[in-house]
Amino acid sequence: MAVVRRDGAAGVTHRAVAKEAGITTSLTLYYFATLDDLLIAALTGVTDEYTRRIRSLIESADDPVGGLARLIAESGGDGRERALAERELSTLAARRPALRPAARSWRDNVAELARTRTDDPDAVTAFVALADGLCTAVLLGDGEADPDRIRAVLGTALRPAR
């Protein structure tokens, strides 16, 4: 992940990872036979953290949508590098099918969170799309994100259709 944060997904090579880790390139090849294997490990590391946090939101008695809003807002602050790396790796997954299952993890967990509030599949789809778009908007923004505003926007997807 250090290489992804510093150089972007395009900078991930066995040689670059080995140098960052202070090991030989042959050792990275022993554990990660292909570049996709290496990228999957990096992407899984990021998505595992998001999954853990979203799972705790789903299982808590608190407001899971508000918790997700705070998680998204972190993308503009302390969680920016992690969120940027995840976004970059997810974009790469659009071109590299082997990365897609790991990249879908975030979306699958956000959908599960939405299903705690609605059983409408269209609302769940809208909620996931909004969460994804809000993450991008926070990353592109220049200031700190407002979790209350993000919570309000996410809530629009969960309102019953009129």
Side-chain angles (χ1 to χ4, degrees):
M1 283 309 301
V3 175
V4 174
R5 286 184 183 117
R6 185 186 63 237
D7 304 329
V12 175
T13 64
H14 281 91
R15 182 171 283 128
V17 170
K19 182 177 179 184
E20 182 70 30
I23 59 175
T24 65
T25 302
S26 61
L27 193 55
T28 66
L29 287 163
Y30 176 79
Y31 286 100
F32 306 103
T34 68
L35 187 55
D36 279 353
D37 292 341
L38 193 57
L39 290 166
I40 288 168
L43 183 55
T44 300
V46 173
T47 58
D48 283 352
E49 173 62 17
Y50 279 124
T51 296
R52 185 192 62 73
R53 294 198 51 198
I54 293 172
R55 299 279 344 136
S56 72
L57 293 172
I58 292 169
E59 294 165 3
S60 75
D62 295 334
D63 174 23
V65 177
L68 180 62
R70 288 187 296 279
L71 180 60
I72 291 169
E74 286 175 15
S75 298
D78 292 341
R80 182 174 178 78
E81 283 188 9
R82 183 190 69 236
L84 187 58
E86 186 274 336
R87 181 65 41 163
E88 191 164 348
L89 288 167
S90 292
T91 300
L92 185 60
R95 292 190 174 111
R96 298 178 92 135
L99 300 175
R100 290 180 189 159
R104 285 187 189 116
S105 177
W106 155 262
R107 299 174 62 82
D108 293 345
N109 283 283
V110 171
E112 186 175 344
L113 187 147
R115 285 191 289 274
T116 68
R117 298 296 184 249
T118 184
D119 58 359
D120 177 356
D122 292 337
V124 170
T125 298
F127 186 87
V128 172
L130 272 172
D132 208 31
L134 287 165
C135 284
T136 300
V138 169
L139 285 169
L140 294 174
D142 293 327
E144 289 199 23
D146 179 0
D148 293 330
R149 174 98 173 103
I150 293 170
R151 168 64 176 93
V153 172
L154 288 171
T156 63
L158 300 175
R159 291 189 192 124
R162 295 179 193 198

